[in-house]
Amino acid sequence: MEPPDSPGNILATEIGSRSITIRWTAPYTGNSPIVSYKIQHKLSSETWAEGDRTTTVSERETTAVLRGLKPVTSYHVRLMAKNGIGWSEPSQPVHITTAEDAPEGAPTAVHAVASSSNTIHVSWQPPKKDLRHGAVKGYYVGYKPYGGSDNYVYQTVEVQGDFKEEIILTNLRRATKYSIIVQAFNSKGSGPPCDELIIDTLQSDWRSKGVAKILIKPSNVVKTNKVARKVHKSQSNFFE
């Protein structure tokens, strides 16, 4: 009798944003029954000594689910088998990258300033990198008169070409207080909105001309009057 061979044919049969399902083939037993399997995984940037996370399953299993993973993150996975003599050598590691997920963070450094009696300039920065969970495809900028029962009206700013995180909201009411929010979206959905900003449009345009000269309306803005729940399915929970 001898220790078993390493498990073979390791495959990821389901890859989610926070879990992976692994399947393998039972190895040569070493003439002693297999009693358990050990599945180890780590970040691809780590060594096995510093990043090993272990899941153990019984000899009857040839599948396992690895949970608690991070979206859009590369992992290495390897397996070992155990019989009455001891553990096999580790299998060759398999490289797996988890799927995208909707952003978990709001845009940062959000700023708004009234540029005239009927316009407000809004600018921001992307969510923190580890909270984007995929490539940011664009932003929803919502606005409405402050304190009323109106739903937010949204404009979509798409990330394309010479993109800059800004928008000029137009056709607003004179000397009116507005509530403004911004949220990012990717291929999986939209993230949480930033904290609400409260901004007043100007009473008159006597000082707006100087501001207007430096504010260039972006070309990647898609106008829409849809309320939040119709803009993107994933963001309905934030505004209903």
Side-chain angles (χ1 to χ4, degrees):
M1 294 187 291
E2 58 185 335
D5 287 348
S6 304
N9 299 320
I10 302 167
L11 297 172
T13 57
E14 294 182 24
I15 301 176
S17 61
R18 299 176 188 274
S19 65
I20 299 171
T21 301
I22 302 296
R23 185 182 67 193
W24 63 91
T25 300
Y28 165 66
T29 66
N31 294 314
S32 176
I34 300 291
V35 295
S36 63
Y37 294 100
K38 182 185 295 184
I39 306 99
Q40 298 176 317
H41 71 277
K42 67 176 184 66
L43 297 174
S44 59
S45 59
E46 297 175 325
T47 65
W48 287 107
E50 65 186 0
D52 173 28
R53 300 157 182 85
T54 300
T55 302
T56 302
V57 297
S58 74
E59 78 284 357
R60 297 185 300 274
E61 305 293 335
T62 54
T63 64
V65 180
L66 306 180
R67 306 183 188 277
L69 309 181
K70 298 178 180 179
V72 199
T73 302
S74 296
Y75 290 92
H76 287 166
V77 180
R78 69 182 186 181
L79 279 81
M80 291 182 282
K82 183 181 182 181
N83 64 11
I85 305 302
W87 287 100
S88 71
E89 291 295 318
S91 66
Q92 287 296 313
V94 176
H95 178 258
I96 304 168
T97 299
T98 51
E100 290 190 0
D101 202 354
E104 197 172 352
T108 60
V110 183
H111 180 71
V113 59
S115 47
S116 75
S117 62
N118 62 1
T119 60
I120 293 176
H121 176 255
V122 186
S123 62
W124 62 90
Q125 291 299 312
K128 294 179 179 179
K129 188 174 182 180
D130 61 342
L131 299 178
R132 297 175 197 173
H133 299 338
V136 174
K137 300 292 186 181
Y139 298 87
Y140 298 127
V141 181
Y143 63 98
K144 67 176 182 177
Y146 176 71
S149 59
D150 295 342
N151 291 313
Y152 280 102
V153 174
Y154 281 84
Q155 292 199 30
T156 302
V157 184
E158 298 177 344
V159 176
Q160 58 184 13
D162 188 16
F163 176 73
K164 189 174 182 180
E165 288 88 356
E166 67 175 6
I167 188 176
I168 298 177
L169 303 176
T170 60
N171 299 319
L172 307 179
R173 302 173 192 169
R174 180 186 299 272
T176 300
K177 193 181 299 292
Y178 278 88
S179 168
I180 297 172
I181 56 174
V182 184
Q183 61 191 135
F185 67 87
N186 61 20
S187 63
K188 294 297 184 179
S190 57
C194 68
D195 291 337
E196 179 185 45
L197 278 72
I198 309 300
I199 303 295
D200 290 282
T201 53
L202 301 182
Q203 176 67 40
S204 61
D205 293 331
W206 66 271
R207 66 181 180 90
S208 65
K209 293 183 179 180
V211 176
K213 290 180 181 179
I214 63 172
L215 300 180
I216 301 173
K217 187 173 182 180
S219 61
N220 55 341
V221 174
V222 180
K223 293 184 178 180
T224 176
N225 289 324
K226 296 180 181 179
V227 298
R229 58 179 174 273
K230 293 184 179 179
V231 174
H232 198 290
K233 293 179 180 177
S234 298
Q235 62 184 352
S236 60
N237 292 335
F238 298 109
F239 307 110
E240 292 186 325

